[in-house]
Amino acid sequence: MFQGTGSDVGKSLLVAGLCRVLVRRGIKAVPFKAQNMSNNAAVAEDGGEIGRAQWLQALAARIPPSFHMNPVLLKPQSDKTSQVIVRGSIAATMGAKEYYSYRKSLLPVVLESYRRLAEDADFVLVEGAGSPAEINLRENDIANMGFARAANCPVVMVGDIERGGVIASLVGTHAVLEDADREMIRGFIINKFRGDASLFVSGAKEIAHRTGWENLGLIPHFPDLAKLPQEDSLSLGNKQQASGGRVNIMVLKTPHIANFDDIDPLANDPSVNVTWCSAGEAISADAEIVILAGSKSTIADLQFIKEQGWDIGLTAHRQRGGRIIGLCGGYQMLGKTLSDPYGVEGAVATVKGLGLLDVDTVFTGKKTVSKWQGEYNKISVSGYEIHVGKTEGADCLRPVFHGIKPEGASSEDGLVWGSYIHGIFANDAFRARVAGGKSGYNYMQDIETIIDGWADILEENIVLNKMLQLAL
């Protein structure tokens, strides 16, 4: 199990890279994260939602993603409440205090999923959540030491040297843990190192001396990892691309943005320039396409867009002949009204949308989670749906996609369209058609190349045999 001294120390990508390292050696590795918190979700092969990180880890392990790989997924809807997804399906929506007590009942579910995966694997690589040093949250824990002890799973602690204070972070984690938790930890890894590795030799020795943990590796910074799907919206700043592409695309960064990995294929494509429009900024007159991404709190994000004056900017953008694309929650915002008669997002309400599409959305309370296949102007497109709500109106008579049934809606002038389908820009031919021209860029091949490059780095910088022996 890989736990960290804090969030965003690189646990997810470390597990993904090690999955690829092992599978290349002919060892079946399976990823697992008992509890994840992210609004970037994917649809598993056996149905239901899992965190995008576990989807990427399954890809790295060259196995189909399963909801057992992430049996508990928390999707924040506000600063105080989250949607609780258990084995792919909605179980409840609750506040932090309520969940703090409720999660104790989830430990048997988590352990059963873990054991199912372990039955058919040589190694299960487990990712922790946040940090076990948050000892105020230790009671009823299922994500870190609570799981490690229940599953008798040895732990490797990961520290991020890029943040500074990595010695204090690792030694401090050792200091605050109770004895039984501390005994689960066998070694440590230092991640994201830049510069001359010889300068940290004494630092690593000091950590080992003060903790008794084995030094399992010093991993260099690998900038291409920023191109892989991320879970945290704090990573969005890393996605901004330098100029040089043919098409300028601007994405509105809202507080509750979800499934923003939809933008990754565009941001990684060298023929496209992607920039994020943050609070206090204006929609650029140079933008040819403006994208409204998904949202976990659509009405709140719609209000934020109006507060920023982006509604006026979108109207001006369209008047200049610019295109506007709405994905999932962004699609709902483009319509005339959004109604929440059952209080799915909080209070019962009906609000005016942006009025850029002649459609209306009602949040029904029933969640659609499924894979999808269709066509766009005779181009095959695949993706997936994760949404609550039904959208209808005159512009739905001009669907964006055709499949088993028409999907999406387009304005009469063709400048505005919206769709519930996630993952569409990962389809290379579709992306080239929408963004203009044929770039020849293969997104999934690029992802595979990055994963393999990352695995090469881990092979060179982790004492892998020693680490695997800790699990035997």
Side-chain angles (χ1 to χ4, degrees):
M1 183 176 193
F2 297 87
Q3 298 185 23
T5 57
S7 297
D8 201 32
V9 300
K11 300 184 294 291
S12 297
L13 294 176
L14 181 61
V15 168
L18 288 171
C19 281
R20 180 55 57 90
V21 167
L22 295 181
V23 75
R24 294 195 310 195
R25 294 186 176 197
I27 299 170
K28 184 171 182 180
V30 177
F32 178 80
K33 185 166 185 173
Q35 173 192 294
N36 198 355
M37 178 176 282
S38 176
N39 275 331
N40 262 13
V43 176
E45 290 296 319
D46 45 7
E49 298 178 71
I50 61 171
R52 173 57 67 175
Q54 282 62 65
W55 175 89
L56 179 68
Q57 291 162 356
L59 177 71
R62 295 178 177 151
I63 56 177
S66 165
F67 61 69
H68 289 298
M69 295 174 182
N70 178 205
V72 180
L73 174 62
L74 306 179
K75 303 186 76 174
Q77 292 192 160
S78 68
D79 292 339
K80 295 182 179 180
T81 62
S82 291
Q83 195 176 83
V84 182
I85 310 293
V86 178
R87 287 187 174 173
S89 301
I90 297 176
T93 297
M94 58 183 66
K97 284 186 177 180
E98 187 180 0
Y99 178 73
Y100 184 74
S101 300
Y102 172 74
R103 63 182 179 175
K104 183 179 181 180
S105 67
L106 295 175
L107 183 58
V109 176
V110 163
L111 290 172
E112 183 185 356
S113 286
Y114 166 71
R115 287 165 182 153
R116 284 196 184 191
L117 296 176
E119 287 175 358
D120 191 36
D122 298 313
F123 284 96
V124 180
L125 302 183
V126 183
E127 179 191 343
S131 170
E134 295 162 348
I135 54 177
N136 56 307
L137 302 177
R138 175 62 180 87
E139 186 180 0
N140 300 331
D141 170 60
I142 63 171
N144 290 307
M145 288 303 177
F147 171 83
R149 284 173 59 179
N152 192 28
C153 185
V155 175
V156 174
M157 192 61 57
V158 182
D160 177 3
I161 198 168
E162 191 172 49
R163 295 168 175 238
V166 72
I167 296 173
S169 295
L170 285 163
V171 174
T173 298
H174 178 273
V176 301
L177 295 179
E178 59 182 80
D179 291 343
D181 286 352
R182 190 184 298 121
E183 289 171 4
M184 298 302 301
I185 304 172
R186 306 288 194 270
F188 68 93
I189 289 173
I190 304 293
N191 199 14
K192 306 181 189 178
F193 185 82
R194 302 172 190 252
D196 186 346
S198 66
L199 296 177
F200 195 71
V201 171
S202 60
K205 286 182 178 178
E206 192 64 27
I207 294 168
H209 171 70
R210 289 175 180 264
T211 63
W213 303 337
E214 289 200 60
N215 178 8
L216 297 174
L218 180 67
I219 306 173
H221 173 69
F222 184 43
D224 280 355
L225 291 179
K227 294 182 179 181
L228 297 179
Q230 307 289 323
E231 288 191 322
D232 195 327
S233 60
L234 293 175
S235 68
L236 291 180
N238 298 327
K239 297 290 184 182
Q240 189 155 323
Q241 186 179 318
S243 60
R246 294 191 297 267
V247 178
N248 294 319
I249 296 178
M250 178 162 272
V251 187
L252 303 187
K253 185 178 178 182
T254 54
H256 306 96
I257 190 169
N259 285 87
F260 51 82
D261 52 308
D262 281 336
I263 309 302
D264 286 355
L266 294 165
N268 294 358
D269 191 326
S271 69
V272 178
N273 298 322
V274 170
T275 55
W276 292 86
C277 189
S278 299
E281 299 176 344
I283 294 174
S284 173
D286 295 332
E288 296 164 64
I289 302 173
V290 177
I291 295 178
L292 285 70
S295 171
K296 197 65 192 71
S297 190
T298 308
I299 291 176
D301 277 353
L302 173 62
Q303 181 61 31
F304 179 83
I305 284 173
K306 293 176 179 179
E307 289 170 355
Q308 298 299 315
W310 291 342
D311 54 336
I312 299 171
L314 287 168
T315 300
H317 171 76
R318 183 184 188 178
Q319 290 174 345
R320 293 192 295 266
R323 289 178 284 163
I324 300 170
I325 297 172
L327 302 175
C328 200
Y331 170 31
Q332 295 171 339
M333 294 180 211
L334 290 176
K336 296 186 297 181
T337 63
L338 292 82
S339 299
D340 189 0
Y342 304 105
V344 173
E345 292 194 348
V348 173
T350 296
V351 300
K352 288 185 178 180
L354 297 171
L356 296 171
L357 284 176
D358 187 3
V359 297
D360 299 282
T361 295
V362 177
F363 299 143
T364 60
K366 183 179 179 181
K367 194 167 195 176
T368 299
V369 180
S370 64
K371 293 203 165 186
W372 178 90
Q373 185 77 36
E375 287 189 350
Y376 175 86
N377 292 339
K378 298 184 179 181
I379 296 174
S380 180
V381 180
S382 61
Y384 58 96
E385 293 182 74
I386 303 178
H387 65 89
V388 173
K390 187 174 183 180
T391 299
E392 297 178 322
D395 283 348
C396 291
L397 298 176
R398 287 181 290 272
V400 180
F401 300 107
H402 294 272
I404 296 176
K405 60 180 181 179
E407 201 287 323
S410 303
S411 61
E412 189 173 0
D413 60 10
L415 293 177
V416 183
W417 61 260
S419 168
Y420 276 119
I421 310 303
H422 294 290
I424 52 178
F425 291 116
N427 297 271
D428 299 323
F430 170 77
R431 186 182 61 256
R433 176 71 63 87
V434 171
K438 295 183 179 179
S439 69
Y441 172 71
N442 186 317
Y443 173 69
M444 289 307 302
Q445 181 179 330
D446 191 24
I447 294 300
E448 286 286 340
T449 300
I450 293 169
I451 292 173
D452 277 325
W454 177 228
D456 291 341
I457 288 175
L458 297 183
E459 288 263 25
E460 296 169 4
N461 294 280
I462 288 181
V463 189
L464 190 66
N465 289 338
K466 182 186 291 186
M467 185 181 71
L468 296 182
Q469 287 170 5
L470 296 176
L472 300 177

